[in-house]
Amino acid sequence: MLRILRFSVLLFLLGCNSTSNVVNTDEQEIDPKEYDYTIVFGSCNDQDNPQPLWDPILAHNPDAFIWGGDNIYADTPDMEKMKEMYNFQNNVEEYQQLVNSTVMLGTWDDHDFGSNNAGKEWGKKAESQQLFLDFMNVPEDDSRRDREGVYYSQNLNAEGKTIKVILLDTRYFRDPINEGREGTILGEAQWIWLENELNNSTADYHVIMSSIQVLSRQHRFEKWANFPEEREHLLDIIVSSGIKNPIIISGDRHISEFSKMDIEGLEAPLYDFTSSGMTHVYDGFSGEPNMYREGEVIFQLSFGVLNFDFENQEVNMQMRGIENALLQETSVKF
């Protein structure tokens, strides 16, 4: 499918490390590029704020869109109010154009789960799950309607290749964060499911959606590193399962960044592409450590783009903003 992306972009960023393959673009014209499959994703979408990114997202003609969590900001035990918020979002005209034109996938994070930073203790999680599934247009006879948690996988097929999207639920089963740093994020049932999904996959590419960051571990906010054994187990099974060409995507942070980790047993670096802040961002951001960061932190409204080039076994990753501005990009070649 031909992706025509020709326009001028302006980036307000510091220069990137010369050893990095991240490109921070100055004002320039973007050459047209043909990709075999395009996935767009985003997170942190407050339905009460202006939503200027749907038109730029539509301009990419994405083959699939993935919600990364905080798809609405509900934070309420009142399920009627939450339903009204989902209905409001569904009635955004440009968003409906996307729903009607592409494959829609997604998971949730805390604010659409129902309570800030909540985990398994949240008393309305079963009810909010059904409203989330309604929002995602999940059929009434789907297995997700009868089990705990919104975790899910789906194969996307194009040009004889398969992209397996794995959507994790980091809320329904998560233990409270404590100083002992013990407990679980995914819970026993979801771990069994995930290991089966990975160990039995024959897909050519794997996109693993975690609402919270997996690789970055030095900041003070929610992350997989709050549960070190869980994080290590996730990375271990990505390697031991032998899956082809994995990429992690995440949200939650109201910033966007690329994190990259070289792991023994993987032929290419493992990326955690965080794209967060569709309607509001961490505009007071003044820096934080991330030993795995590649490039710069973006704290402008943005969404993420994954462009798959099957012939060259390469995935181009872009942060895009208002008026489709290219904010930062990198590529991984498998």
Side-chain angles (χ1 to χ4, degrees):
M1 182 180 297
L2 186 62
R3 310 282 175 187
I4 304 297
L5 305 175
R6 187 183 294 273
F7 43 78
S8 295
V9 297
L10 182 63
L11 178 66
F12 302 94
L13 286 173
L14 298 175
C16 64
N17 189 306
S18 61
T19 62
S20 169
N21 67 330
V22 168
V23 176
N24 293 337
T25 57
D26 201 347
E27 187 171 5
Q28 62 178 356
E29 192 164 280
I30 307 301
D31 290 331
K33 171 68 177 177
E34 183 175 350
Y35 294 107
D36 299 297
Y37 204 90
T38 293
I39 295 174
V40 172
F41 71 102
S43 64
C44 301
N45 180 77
D46 188 332
Q47 71 281 354
D48 293 328
N49 285 353
Q51 299 182 32
L53 297 182
W54 296 119
D55 279 336
I57 288 171
L58 287 164
H60 288 262
N61 297 315
D63 297 288
F65 178 85
I66 301 175
W67 279 114
D70 294 336
N71 313 318
I72 61 167
Y73 276 67
D75 296 294
T76 178
D78 188 329
M79 294 297 104
E80 285 301 315
K81 287 184 178 179
M82 183 180 286
K83 182 177 180 180
E84 290 174 4
M85 295 174 191
Y86 274 127
N87 288 340
F88 182 90
Q89 180 59 42
N90 261 325
N91 285 324
V92 174
E93 182 179 354
E94 296 84 358
Y95 174 67
Q96 265 304 308
Q97 291 178 33
L98 185 69
V99 171
N100 293 329
S101 63
T102 194
V103 176
M104 299 294 294
L105 300 168
T107 189
W108 58 13
D109 200 37
D110 52 342
H111 296 290
D112 40 354
F113 184 53
S115 180
N116 186 42
N117 294 340
K120 69 179 185 181
E121 75 282 356
W122 175 236
K124 292 290 186 176
K125 59 185 182 180
E127 293 88 344
S128 64
Q129 174 175 333
Q130 295 305 313
L131 292 180
F132 170 82
L133 296 176
D134 290 344
F135 176 65
M136 296 302 302
N137 296 314
V138 174
E140 291 296 329
D141 60 354
D142 190 280
S143 61
R144 284 170 286 175
R145 294 285 187 177
D146 299 319
R147 75 179 184 200
E148 295 181 318
V150 302
Y151 57 91
Y152 178 64
S153 73
Q154 184 163 325
N155 287 335
L156 306 173
N157 300 297
E159 308 291 334
K161 300 293 184 180
T162 300
I163 303 166
K164 187 179 189 72
V165 177
I166 296 174
L167 303 150
L168 302 179
D169 185 335
T170 66
R171 292 294 164 184
Y172 203 100
F173 308 97
R174 199 207 70 189
D175 285 322
I177 298 173
N178 59 69
E179 292 183 1
R181 302 173 71 115
E182 297 178 350
T184 185
I185 294 178
L186 299 188
E188 183 178 1
Q190 186 174 184
W191 271 120
I192 292 172
W193 169 84
L194 177 58
E195 292 178 12
N196 182 66
E197 290 291 320
L198 296 178
N199 286 327
N200 294 292
S201 177
T202 60
D204 301 285
Y205 297 85
H206 294 78
V207 176
I208 301 172
M209 176 78 245
S210 167
S211 66
I212 58 174
Q213 289 184 310
V214 175
L215 294 187
S216 180
R217 66 185 189 186
Q218 295 168 280
H219 61 76
R220 62 186 175 86
F221 304 100
E222 289 184 290
K223 54 194 177 294
W224 273 75
N226 293 130
F227 300 84
E229 291 184 0
E230 295 275 285
R231 179 179 180 271
E232 183 178 357
H233 184 45
L234 177 61
L235 298 178
D236 284 347
I237 64 172
I238 288 174
V239 175
S240 65
S241 64
I243 58 171
K244 298 177 182 177
N245 307 336
I247 295 174
I248 297 170
I249 57 177
S250 57
D252 176 59
R253 291 295 321 284
H254 303 278
I255 60 171
S256 295
E257 64 178 346
F258 298 121
S259 299
K260 181 181 76 170
M261 186 178 184
D262 293 312
I263 302 176
E264 185 176 355
L266 294 183
E267 294 183 359
L270 179 65
Y271 276 87
D272 181 350
F273 178 1
T274 302
S275 181
S276 177
M278 293 185 69
T279 61
H280 55 300
V281 294
Y282 187 2
D283 52 14
F285 180 83
S286 59
E288 67 183 33
N290 176 3
M291 62 189 295
Y292 301 111
R293 182 180 299 130
E294 182 181 69
E296 305 294 335
V297 173
I298 301 297
F299 45 101
Q300 303 177 45
L301 298 185
S302 66
F303 59 93
V305 183
L306 302 176
N307 292 311
F308 291 80
D309 180 345
F310 295 148
E311 181 178 358
N312 295 306
Q313 293 191 74
E314 188 170 9
V315 180
N316 166 258
M317 296 177 281
Q318 301 179 350
M319 300 172 191
R320 293 272 178 176
I322 292 175
E323 297 184 355
N324 219 353
L326 178 59
L327 305 178
Q328 192 166 217
E329 71 175 338
T330 190
S331 294
V332 56
K333 186 172 179 61
F334 295 102

